[in-house]
């Protein structure tokens, strides 16, 4: 779906960009997070280039968010979150540009998007820490290459249920070998049989 913006005429672009740059560089009593939201919207509406306006707007947002964090290191990415939600992003921009200067809806969406970016990063960091703690706990546990491969897949977020047949397919071994690998991990307290039961047996990691 192509989104059409009502960009200023070619004659208006330079004076509009001059206003934007003056405002951007001016020290004003405005939280950098809010400034990043306003700057993003303003730049998109000016639409000074034929292509790449979205990428530049996201870069402007990231710059102001870095100033807000007062750190050269950032562990979250608003740009990635916007790309993930780009359909709603474009729809919100298109609606708000016709609201005669009222950008409240955009600010609410932007701040919620930033919140989701932070929450997703928190999940990623927790997953990385959990994986590091797991391997530190089992650094002296004797494991074969197949077991290490499958444990890493489970720690990274295995899709679907872990069955003997899946283990055999992924590690390219027989089902008998897969079952021996799994039973060995159960004896070592690393895997357990899922309680859900059913017609087939599924396995899961034992929580650290």
């Amino acid at each position: 779906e192509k989104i059409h913006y009502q960009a200023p005429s070619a004659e208006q672009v330079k004076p509009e960009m001059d206003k934007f740059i003056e405002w951007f560089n001016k020290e004003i009593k405005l939280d950098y997070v809010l400034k990043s939201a306003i700057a993003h919207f303003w730049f998109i509406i000016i639409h000074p280039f034929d292509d790449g306006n979205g990428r530049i707007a996201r870069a402007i947002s990231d710059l102001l968010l870095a100033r807000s964090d007062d750190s050269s290191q950032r562990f979250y990415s608003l740009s990635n979150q916007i790309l993930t939600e780009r359909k709603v992003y474009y729809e919100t921009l298109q609606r708000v540009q016709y609201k005669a200067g009222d950008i409240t809806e955009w600010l609410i969406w932007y701040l919620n998007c930033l919140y989701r970016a932070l929450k997703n990063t928190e999940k990623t960091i927790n997953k990385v820490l959990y994986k590091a703690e797991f391997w530190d706990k089992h650094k002296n546990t004797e494991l074969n290459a197949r077991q290490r491969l499958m444990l890493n897949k489970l720690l990274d977020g295995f899709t679907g249920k872990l069955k003997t047949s899946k283990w055999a397919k992924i590690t390219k071994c027989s089902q008998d070998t897969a079952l021996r690998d799994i039973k060995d991990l159960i004896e070592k307290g690393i895997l357990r049989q899922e309680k859900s039961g059913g017609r087939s047996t599924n396995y899961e990691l034992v929580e650290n």
Side-chain angles (χ1 to χ4, degrees):
E1 182 183 3
K2 192 170 183 179
I3 305 297
H4 298 278
Y5 295 101
Q6 188 176 359
S9 64
E11 295 77 21
Q12 291 176 296
V13 169
K14 186 180 184 308
E16 286 296 323
M17 280 302 299
D18 288 343
K19 289 179 190 175
F20 173 79
I21 292 169
E22 182 183 1
W23 171 83
F24 185 88
N25 291 322
K26 190 176 181 180
E27 290 295 330
I28 55 176
K29 290 184 178 179
L30 179 65
D31 184 272
Y32 276 123
V33 174
L34 285 176
K35 189 171 183 178
S36 73
I38 296 168
H40 189 115
F41 181 82
W42 193 349
F43 186 86
I44 284 290
I45 294 306
I46 297 174
H47 222 68
F49 305 109
D50 291 333
D51 188 35
N53 294 287
R55 289 191 295 274
I56 296 171
R58 292 193 297 273
I60 290 169
S61 290
D62 285 340
L63 173 61
L64 289 169
L65 289 172
R67 291 181 183 177
S68 174
D69 296 337
D70 194 23
S71 172
S72 59
Q73 292 183 318
R74 285 174 51 233
F75 299 99
Y76 64 92
S77 174
L78 177 64
S79 293
N80 286 344
Q81 192 65 32
I82 287 174
L83 289 173
T84 300
E85 303 181 28
R86 55 183 169 271
K87 184 176 184 295
V88 180
Y89 164 77
Y90 287 131
E91 290 171 350
T92 306
L93 282 174
Q94 192 173 30
R95 278 196 308 273
V96 175
Q97 72 165 326
Y98 296 113
K99 289 192 174 181
D102 182 0
I103 64 169
T104 305
E105 182 185 355
W106 162 254
L107 292 176
I108 291 171
W109 183 87
Y110 183 95
L111 294 174
N112 282 326
C113 184
L114 177 58
Y115 173 78
R116 289 187 290 273
L118 292 167
K119 292 300 289 183
N120 286 336
T121 299
E122 182 183 18
K123 290 177 185 176
T124 301
I125 291 173
N126 287 339
K127 188 184 292 185
V128 170
L129 291 174
Y130 180 83
K131 186 175 181 178
E133 289 170 2
F134 175 90
W135 285 118
D136 183 62
K137 179 180 177 181
H138 295 289
K139 60 187 175 184
N140 296 320
T141 304
E142 189 175 338
L143 300 167
N144 62 43
R146 294 183 304 275
Q147 290 171 323
R148 288 185 177 276
L149 171 65
M150 293 306 295
L151 287 172
N152 274 318
K153 286 188 177 295
L154 288 168
L155 290 165
D156 290 338
F158 187 79
T159 302
K161 300 289 187 179
L162 176 60
K163 307 174 188 292
T164 306
S165 57
K166 278 191 180 180
W167 184 293
K169 184 177 181 180
I170 293 171
T171 62
K172 296 179 173 59
C173 69
S174 68
Q175 291 210 34
D176 287 342
T177 300
L179 185 57
R180 282 196 297 271
D181 285 345
I182 291 170
K183 284 184 175 179
D184 179 57
L185 291 176
I186 291 173
E187 290 172 3
K188 289 171 177 172
I190 297 174
L191 286 185
R192 67 186 173 199
Q193 187 174 326
E194 282 191 3
K195 295 178 181 179
S196 56
R199 296 179 62 184
S200 59
T201 304
N202 305 317
Y203 303 94
E204 62 185 2
L205 278 172
V206 174
E207 295 291 331
N208 279 348

